Structures are given as structure tokens and as C-alpha cells.
Amino acid sequence: MLILQEQQYCILRRVMGVRTCESRCLFSGSKGEVCCIEPLHSKPELKDHPITQFSLLAMASLTKILVIGLKPSLKVWMTFPYGRMDPSSVPLLAWHFVAVHNYVNPMLAFCRGDVVHFLLVKRDESGAIHVTKQKHLHLYYDLINFTWINSRTIVLLDSVEKLHVIDRQTQEELETVEISEVQLVYNSSHFKSLATGGNVSQALALVGEKACYQSISSYGGQIFYLGTKSVYVMMLRSWRERVDHLLKQDCLTEALALAWSFHEGKAKAVVGLSGDATKRKAIVADRMVEILFHYADRALKKCPDQGKIQVMEQHFQDMVPVIVDYCLLLQRKDLLFSQVYDKLSENSVAKGVFLECLEPYILSDKLVGITPQVMKDLLVHFQDKKLMENVEALIVHMDITSLDIQQMVLMCWENRLYDAMIYVYNRGMNEFISPMEKLFRVIAPPLNAGKTLTDEQVVMGNKLLVYISCCLAGRAYPLGDIPEDLVPLVKNQVFEFLIRLHSTEASSEEEIYPYVRTLLHFDTREFLNVLALTFEDFKNDKQAVEYQQRIVDILLKVMVENSDFTPSQVGCLFTFLARQLAKPDNTLFVNRTLFDQVLEFLCSPDDDSRHSERQQVLLELLQAGGIVQFEESRLIRMAEKAEFYQICEFMYEREHQYDKIIDCYLRDPLREEEVFNYIHNILSIPGHSAEEKQSVWQKAMDHIEELVSLKPCKAAELVATHFSEQIETVIKKLQNQVLLFKFLRSLLDPREGVHVNQELLQVSPCITEQYIELLCQFSPNQVIETLQVLECYRLDETIQISQKYQLHEVTAYLLEKKGDIHGAFLIMLKRLQSKLQEIIHQDENAKDVPSLKDVEETMVETIALCQRNSHNLNQQQREALWFPLLEAMMAPQKLSSSAAPHLHSEALKSLTMQVLNSMAAFIALPSILQRILQDPVYGKGKLGEIQGLILGMLDTFNYEQTLLETTTSLLNQDLHWSLCNLRASVTRGLNPKQDYCSICLQQYKRRQEMADEIIVFSCGHLYHSFCLQNKECTVEIEGQTRWTCYKCSSSNKVGKLSENSSEIKKGRITPSQVKMSPSCHPSKGDPTVKKAISEPVLDPQQIQAFDQLCHLYRGSSRLALLTELSQNRSGESCRPFGGSQSGPAFNSIFQKENFQLQLIPPPVTED
């Protein structure tokens, strides 16, 4: 007897004759109350099951479940804790016997929340009970009831009173039903113990809100629900009721689909279908036949009586295929071609749609054995609709022996259905020669007359070749195989037909062997391929060997003794013969003199036509084994005479004379560029001797000028790859300076795209300087660009070369690279002054005078020279560069008077202003003005001439001042916005997610034991400070208590959180500020609530990625920017973006090359 005494579950045992009882405590309420008890009940047919003798009992508390055996002695067989879940969810238990691996054992289903666990309980041979976990069921709703309907189907009730029918094995939700109208009775008052004053724990009272254990019960596949006004019974429909329900709703297609799922055993929650598989299928099939007849009647009755024919066709196309599909699935062709076909034939449109539905099944060979009447109607229907291609495709998949053969042949020939015609002859009459005769009569006359075949005749010829190939290989055309007893007969008939001396209706002018001749004219190569495949199949057949020799003799007689075949066709024949003769088991005999005649024919020097074709044919003949038929020396002589260089290469390669092959490539205009790859392969691929490689290299050196003129890049790559140490030898052999220049440019200039490793290529400076000198001669405009990519050259010698050819820009570049900045500047300045003098003194009619654009280009290059080097010079050295340049630009303006200005005076003023703007970044404006005023010309009252320059400088100052003010304003606004949002986020109140402690699950306002503090974190979790201290979630740092969120730190599995994860928001708060009465609600913005931030610690990979991101977007310090701007604003004489004479001005943040002003929108913050 199991009793409950003060929340303790005990077993009582009475002793006979003694008025006393002994009890044993099973479960104490101090560890959590038991909400549900479920004993294992067994059906009468399972009363002898070995598990029933244990009297198993399942108990579910708020924290775990227990499986207890009451007999033969009390024993706890299993304990399973729930884990962390919603405290308001209801524990549920349910037993049922299920079949697993052909054994029936009890299965316990339990859940609390949205996960259902299945435990299989079975007894082993030793008598012990084993509990194994099965697959979980994860749901998206919380459950308040779990019920077994049968071993495969379960019914779940969620917290919003919706029933879910689930298939246990597939976990598929079959149906959902709303039962809120039942008004289910809940057991809340009992769980809360309202009758005794609520003497239960808060956790049990919370569960009682959704408890309905005594309101739902199941028996015999039925579920009883107790409502406030009545009792409701729910059950699963039987399979027949489910089908009939769909039929009542006029859903015939869905009813057939459901019935077919019952037939195949794929349906879920099946009730009322018993017996073995064959019996079940027969029962369902009979019901499906009834539905199909009803479906056919409905299709005819629902057909529109009037309207367009397309509407009727669409109606039957939606319905008739369903009937055909299910009849074929049920394998009821008798029903399909008798009753169903007769019924649908009453409507001509339905009949046509029915016949069209058969086509895909016939083409896939899923439908055979069609009745003759249906077959005839089918062909007539497609013929009437002019779908002759469909007719042909159907015929070759049908048994046409029951049809009129002659009529079928006539229909196929008239409609050009050649595949179908051949099929009818072969399958209907076992006749294999007549189809060939009919096709030969069409294609032979135009071929003999030398006319071009039409597309239709080409199709017929191709089909004829394929048909002959199939017959000789023992395959049926167009698909299938010839019966084995007919294969030898068919092969002999086809061979005898092909080698006939004359056709059956031959005229007096017909040449001998007309069929072989016609096939050779149509497609020589394909016909010979057919014969080659046939010879492969007839190796051990003595009669076939005789046929082989005979047909070869016929081929030679037809092609060699006639001149109407092209060289390609003759070559195909002898290539075919060479391949046959080269086989080890060859039995053919061919006169060798015929091969000599073919060689003379192909190498005829008198005929230049079809040169490539003749060479290719002879090459194929040699590669096929025909070389044994020729004398090699004679073959080489004739090939060289005919300029067949590929033939020469083939022969030289056999004799390992690789150096001679280079001559073949160079002489062949079509393949001369391939010589580089050939030389590279010979020198790099292993397998060639050192002597062979040396001979190839020597031959390449003999033709080096020819190779360079052909492809300089390829020649340079070849030399650099294989013989980099012999570059000087190659240079000596190149006497032509232009070729030498091209070779050295390809070798040394990496921009040419040559794949040469410049590090491994050790080139002396003399060679590089020789290339630079050639570059100065042939391409002086590219010298500077080339010098920028070249490395191995001496500066002094190169400067001498540039001075020799008077390339001043090149000399200036080299001097700058050498470090002589002043020397380079003087050269550029001198060149600029000369161009300015030429412009000033030019005559309007003079020619070859530099334009203003040339002056501007030279000035820009000079400015660039000064800008590149000013960063590394002191103030005096900078002035030595910039002031001479300024004077050079202002000198022409001094000479021109205001009364008679020069033609280019305005343009020169603009260029001078450009110089001033450029030098302002390195020379202070006061220095520039002082230098201008110290000029004797302007110091005597001629400032009006430079008024434009001074005004331009003032405009620049105003622009920079405006830019400074705008930048400062933007930075201040950005900083102010960031600080405002940061302050708002720090001072924002916290909103807890729940009103109970996340550790003890008690509402903080109801706890009266002690005046405890309430801790609220930014993640929304709420705790009592006493509970957090018990969980060791406090850290003492610098005399202050810092807290960490227990849930977040546990879920993230972090051993030690960072120091900032427990920081109290908005600075440090003293303990007196965080005390809060337990009876108060925490409100948003309440300053008496302690607020903390719980943040997870990043792993090393995340930290590394974050550091890279910060480094990528890192800019200048805002504090440094504001400090420098404030200093610049306070100094009136110091220009923020200009230079000054003091050193620190040039170390400004704004003067750095990598300074970027990043203007970003204000950060987005949460409301």
C-alpha cells in the first residue's frame, strides 16, 4: 500500500495476526513534491509478460522522475533529473507497450516543458531491469498532458489547449485540433491546497496553475476530457472512415492518395486495417477500384456541356491521368483497357486525353500488352493530330504483330518514319534486308551522279549505317537485341547483301558492287569504322574470316581502280587496312605494291591541292602501323620533296634525330611557333641522353637569330630557363642590333610577361647597361620607366650613357637616385629655363618651338622632384630648391611690360601660382613674401605686377582657415554626441525579465526572512544578494564587492570572467546606495537598485580578430587632433596647414602622408 503522510511517500506492510504496520520512506517532500504517479498497467494479452511481475511505478517530482519496482522487493530502478527548465511547466508521465526490434516491451514517456523523453524498459536474462533512452521529441510549445493512442500515435495537449496528434517514430505532426470549447477542468485548487490554507511550496503552487491530471483519461484508443459542463470523448477515425470523410467533401484525388498510402503501408495513425500485408493491400485495392469508377463517372458528369474545346480538354487533362496512374499502380490493366476505356470512350475528348496519357508509360516500357483496339486507336489519334514523331516513338516500343503490317509499313514510309519502318520489318516479319534496299534506292542515285545530298537523304544514310552496324553486332534497331537464334542468320544476310555484284533492279550502266560503293561515297570513315567493329566480333568465326578477306578485296578494287575518290577517302581505306594488318592475329592479305601506289598518290608534287589533307592522311596511315609497309629512306625523301614536315618529324623521332626536327618546325609556316615548346620539352623532360640534348641546343644556337625574330619573349625564356650562364654567347651571336634589343628587353624587363626568375638569372651589369644604351637609341621615351624596374646596373656608367644621348630627364632621375638632389634639380631647372626662353622669344610663324604644354610638363616634373625630397631636407636646403624654381617662373613676367603683355603671360601667371601653392607646403608664407619683396624689381614700387600672386596666396589662406574651422566644429560635434549617448546609456535604468530570483525561484517581494538586497544585471536577471553569495558570484576588488550573473556565467561555461563583467554601471557605488527593501518592486531608473553588467569573455581567436579590426580602422587620436587645433588657433602667425621655420610645425599630424580625415555619422544608440 502506498500512502502519503506529510509530504512523505511510504510503503506500508502489515503482519498477519499483529495489529501493527511497518513503513519505509520512499521519497521525502523536503526534496520536492511528487506531482504525478503512473503505474504500469498491462492488457490481458500481456499479463504473462516478464516485466509485469515487478509492479513498476513511475513517479515525477519537480526535479526528477523515478522508476520503482514494488515486487518482489522495493527497489528504485532508475532516477532521471530534468535539468534546467521553466518552473511553471507540468511534469507528465505515460506508459505503453510498444514493439521494438520484434520484441514488445513497456516504454515510459515523460516530459516537463517542450521536450518529450522516451525510455524503453526491458528485462535481461539475469532478471535485472535495464532502462535505455530512445529518440527525443523536441516541440515548440509547452505540454500539460501526454496520452498514448496506440504504440505509434500519441496525442499532446499544449498550454493553450490545442491537441497535437504526433506519429512517434517519424515525429511528424499529423493533425492539430482546438479544444478550448471543452472548457477543461484544471486541478489548481488541489495543488495550491486552498482547502487547508495553502500549505504547499510556491514551486508546487506555480505548477498547479496548469495541472489537469484528473481531468483527462484514456482507454481502448479513446481519450476522455472532463469539461465544466460535459465530458468529451475523442478517438482516431478508422482508415475507411478517413477515406469516406474525404469522399463526402468531394476530395476524390485526396481520397485516392490517402488510400494508396494505406495500400503501400506509408500512412500514419492507421486504425482498423489488420491482417498480413497481402490481405491489407487487397482490401484497400478493392476500395480504390470503387473510388476510380466513381471518379470516372464524376469526370463525365462534371464535363462542361458548352464552351470552347480547350476548356473540355483541360477538364479531362486534370482528371483522366489520375485514373490511368492509379490503375497502372494497382496493376489493373484489364480494368483500364476494358471498363474504364469503354466508359471514357463515350466522350471523344476524354478518349483522346486517355490515349495521350498512355504515351509516357509506353515510352518508359512500363506499359506492355496493350489490346489491339486500344493500340490502333492510339496510332490513329496521334496521326490525326499530325504528331508523327510521337507515332514513331510509340511504334518502336509496342508489340505490333497484331496490326496490319503492310498498312503500317506504308504509313511509316509516307511519313518518313524510317526507324518505325525498320522496326516493323524486323519485328513484324523478321525481314532485315528489305529496309536496306528501300533506303539504298533513295540515296544511291544522287551519290553516283555526284550530286549533293539533301538533309533528308543525309538522315537516311546515317540511319542506314547505324542499322547495318546493329545488324552485324547482333543488336536490334533502334533498341533492344535480336533473338539469339536469328543472330548468325542476320549477319550472313547483311554481308551477302553488301557484297552483291549488282542490285536486284540493276541497269546496264550500273558499276559493280553498288552497295559498297554507295556507302564509301556517303561516308568512307564511318563505313570503315562499322567494318572494323564487325571484324572485332568475328575473330573466331571461320566464315567471318572469309567475309573479311572478301570485303577487303572488294574495297581495294572499288577505291584503287577508280579516280573519283578523294585522297582523304583513299587514306582512310589504307589506314583501316594498316590497323588490321598490325594486329597480332591478323589473317588478311594485302599486296604491298598497293601501299607504294598510295604513297606516290599522296606525295605527288604535281598536285598542290589539299596539301594538309594529304599530309594528315599519310600521318594517320603511318601511326596506324602502315610504316612497316614502306621503305623508310624513300618515305623521308618523298616527304621532304612534298614538304610534309609532320611526316619528317614522325620519321626523325623514330630515329632520335631531334635536332633535325627543329628544321622541320622552322620550315613549316603553320607550326613554326611551336618550336619553342618542342626545344623546351627535349631539354627538360627526362629520358633523353646528354648528346641528344646537346645536339638540340647547338641547333637552336645556329638558328638563334631566326628564333628571336620569330618570338623574342619565347627565345629569352628558353635561354633563361636552360642556359642562363651562356647569355653572353647568345648576345655575341646576335649581330643585328634590333634583334639584340628585342632579346634583351624580353630577358631583363619584367613587364614583358616573360616567366623568368630574375633572382636566379645572374646577369652582369655590363649586359644591363648594354640594354639601357640600346633603349636610349630605339625607345628613349621609355628609359625612365624601364630604369624604375631594372636593378642590376651601375649609376655612374648609366649616367654617362644618358649624357651621351642627351636625355636630360633620365640624367636627372639617375642623379636623384644617386642622392645628388641639387644636381638633378639644376638639370631640370636648366631645361625649364630653356623652354621658357624659347617660348618668350618665339616667332608666331616659327616651327619646332616647344608648346606651353611642354613647359607645363617640365615644370610639373620639377615640382615633383622638389616635393619628393623636401621632407628629408632642412629649411635652407628647401629654399635652395624652391626659390630658384619660383624665380625661373617669374623671370618671363619681369621682361614683359604691362603695356605690351606677352602672348602667354596669363598662362605663365597660372603656372607660377601652381608653383606657389606647391611650395607653400614646405616654405612659410612670410618667407615667400619676404623673398618676393626683396627682389629689386618689385622693391621699387612694382607690386601691381604681382598683385595676382599675392591675392592668390591670400585666397589660399582664407580657404585653409575655413577648412580648419569646419573640421574643428565637426570634431567637437562628434565628441559631444558620443559623450551624450555614452552618458545616457550609463545612467539608463534596468528592467528585470522576471519578478523572482533566478536561483531560489522565489519572488523577491514575498521573502520575509531577512532584509536582503536585490541585484539586477543588465542582462535582465534578478537575484537576492544572499543567493549570489552562496553561489560564489562575488569578487572583492580594491575593497569593493563586485557581482557576476550566475545564469550567464554558467551558460557561457567561462571559468573566470573578466574584471569588467561585474562592474557596476555608472562608476562605483557604496553598499549604502544599493540596499533595497524586499517588498519593493525594482523600477526603471530607481537609483536604489544595484545595476551590474555581465559580459562574456572573448576567446583568443575572437580577441585576435578584434585587435586586427581595431588596427585596420585606427586613426589619429581625437585628443591629439583637438590639442593641435587649439594650439594653432591660439597662434596668429602660425598657419595650420602651411610650413613654418620652426621644427615642430613639420611634425604636425596634418603633415603626415597617411593622415585621413574620417567623418562618420553619430553612433546609433538604443532607445
Side-chain angles (χ1 to χ4, degrees), residues 871 873-875 878 921-922 924 1120 1123-1125 1127-1128 1134-1152:
H871 296 285
L873 302 177
N874 56 31
Q875 187 67 20
R878 293 177 186 175
F922 304 98
T1123 302
E1124 184 165 348
L1125 289 173
Q1127 292 176 355
N1128 292 335
C1134 183
R1135 300 175 65 252
F1137 296 94
S1140 68
Q1141 297 181 359
S1142 59
F1146 298 100
N1147 296 326
S1148 169
I1149 296 176
F1150 305 106
Q1151 296 292 343
K1152 294 182 179 179

Side-chain angles (χ1 to χ4, degrees), residues 48 165 190 316 415 459 696 726 809 902 942:
D48 297 330
V165 182
H190 301 286
F316 286 112
N415 293 280
V459 171
V696 170
Q726 299 185 17
E809 290 86 351
H902 190 267
K942 293 187 177 182

Side-chain angles (χ1 to χ4, degrees), residues 39 42 71 139 173 179 198 428 492 498 518 545 557-558 723 797 799 930 988 1007 1120:
S42 59
K71 294 181 180 179
L139 307 172
E173 185 171 278
I179 65 167
N492 292 336
L498 292 177
T518 299
V545 172
K557 186 174 183 62
V558 170
F723 294 95
E797 285 73 5
I799 291 173
Q930 184 179 2
R988 185 175 55 188
R1007 181 162 176 162

Side-chain angles (χ1 to χ4, degrees), residues 172-322:
E172 178 184 354
E173 185 171 278
L174 306 179
E175 189 176 0
T176 302
V177 181
E178 175 71 42
I179 65 167
S180 57
E181 60 182 14
V182 173
Q183 299 180 5
L184 191 66
V185 175
Y186 289 90
N187 312 130
S188 303
S189 59
H190 301 286
F191 272 79
K192 295 181 179 181
S193 189
L194 299 180
T196 61
N199 189 21
V200 295
S201 66
Q202 294 184 9
L204 185 61
L206 186 62
V207 172
E209 296 288 345
K210 303 177 181 178
C212 55
Y213 295 111
Q214 285 75 35
S215 303
I216 303 175
S217 180
S218 64
Y219 180 79
Q222 296 178 331
I223 306 176
F224 301 88
Y225 294 91
L226 176 63
T228 57
K229 297 181 179 179
S230 59
V231 177
Y232 293 81
V233 181
M234 297 188 182
M235 68 186 74
L236 292 179
R237 293 189 179 97
S238 67
W239 74 272
R240 193 178 294 274
E241 291 175 342
R242 291 167 65 179
V243 174
D244 293 341
H245 177 71
L246 292 175
L247 292 177
K248 290 179 181 179
Q249 295 180 345
D250 206 15
C251 301
L252 275 70
T253 305
E254 291 78 3
L256 286 169
L258 179 61
W260 178 249
S261 66
F262 292 137
H263 185 275
E264 295 298 302
K266 297 180 180 180
K268 308 293 190 308
V270 182
V271 178
L273 196 60
S274 58
D276 57 2
T278 304
K279 182 179 179 181
R280 293 197 302 269
K281 287 187 176 183
I283 294 173
V284 177
D286 293 340
R287 181 56 178 158
M288 290 185 68
V289 170
E290 298 175 3
I291 299 174
L292 287 173
F293 281 124
H294 177 59
Y295 195 88
D297 293 335
R298 181 176 178 274
L300 294 174
K301 292 180 181 178
K302 295 290 184 179
C303 177
D305 296 333
Q306 55 186 354
K308 296 183 179 180
I309 190 66
Q310 290 83 357
V311 178
M312 299 178 64
E313 289 180 351
Q314 184 62 43
H315 168 74
F316 286 112
Q317 287 173 359
D318 294 338
M319 304 194 71
V320 173
V322 177

Side-chain angles (χ1 to χ4, degrees), residues 901-1117:
H902 190 267
L903 178 64
H904 301 292
S905 59
E906 293 298 330
L908 291 176
K909 288 182 180 180
S910 175
L911 295 178
T912 305
M913 195 63 203
Q914 186 175 349
V915 174
L916 282 173
N917 291 334
S918 300
M919 67 186 297
F922 304 98
I923 308 296
L925 287 179
S927 299
I928 299 174
L929 289 173
Q930 184 179 2
R931 187 60 176 261
I932 294 175
L933 295 176
Q934 287 177 356
D935 190 284
V937 177
Y938 303 113
K940 297 179 181 180
K942 293 187 177 182
L943 293 177
E945 299 179 2
I946 59 171
Q947 180 182 2
L949 298 179
I950 297 176
L951 291 177
M953 295 168 62
L954 294 176
D955 290 341
T956 303
F957 170 78
N958 292 331
Y959 166 74
E960 294 180 352
Q961 184 181 20
T962 304
L963 181 62
L964 170 63
E965 294 174 354
T966 304
T967 305
T968 306
S969 176
L970 290 174
L971 290 173
N972 290 335
Q973 290 180 9
D974 185 20
L975 179 61
H976 179 265
W977 186 279
S978 300
L979 292 175
C980 287
N981 284 280
L982 180 61
R983 179 181 179 278
S985 61
V986 168
T987 58
R988 185 175 55 188
L990 299 178
N991 183 20
K993 292 182 178 179
Q994 65 276 339
D995 58 352
Y996 55 86
C997 176
S998 298
I999 296 179
C1000 66
L1001 303 181
Q1002 297 186 12
Q1003 293 185 353
Y1004 69 93
K1005 61 182 180 179
R1006 297 182 180 179
R1007 181 162 176 162
Q1008 304 293 341
E1009 290 84 355
M1010 63 182 68
D1012 200 359
E1013 298 177 4
I1014 305 301
I1015 309 298
V1016 182
F1017 289 90
S1018 61
C1019 56
H1021 295 134
L1022 182 145
Y1023 303 93
H1024 296 107
S1025 60
F1026 180 75
C1027 297
L1028 281 180
Q1029 289 176 355
N1030 292 338
K1031 294 296 183 179
E1032 297 181 355
C1033 293
T1034 61
V1035 179
E1036 292 289 338
I1037 298 178
E1038 298 180 359
Q1040 182 182 9
T1041 301
R1042 301 186 180 181
W1043 306 88
T1044 59
C1045 179
Y1046 172 70
K1047 276 194 172 184
C1048 296
S1049 60
S1050 301
S1051 61
N1052 290 327
K1053 305 295 183 183
V1054 179
K1056 182 178 181 181
L1057 296 177
S1058 66
E1059 181 178 341
N1060 292 334
S1061 64
S1062 60
E1063 278 294 336
I1064 300 175
K1065 295 183 68 175
K1066 199 174 182 294
R1068 301 177 179 177
I1069 304 177
T1070 61
S1072 60
Q1073 291 177 292
V1074 299
K1075 289 184 178 180
M1076 177 181 173
S1077 173
S1079 61
C1080 300
H1081 291 275
S1083 60
K1084 184 174 181 180
D1086 191 349
T1088 62
V1089 182
K1090 181 180 293 186
K1091 297 172 287 182
I1093 302 175
S1094 177
E1095 298 177 356
V1097 176
L1098 300 177
D1099 57 29
Q1101 292 82 1
Q1102 293 172 330
I1103 293 175
Q1104 182 180 2
F1106 182 74
D1107 291 340
Q1108 292 177 354
L1109 183 64
C1110 292
H1111 179 73
L1112 178 63
Y1113 291 100
R1114 182 176 297 162
S1116 302
S1117 170

Side-chain angles (χ1 to χ4, degrees), residues 60 181 345 432 624 725 765 1007:
E181 60 182 14
S345 297
F432 293 87
E725 65 276 2
R1007 181 162 176 162

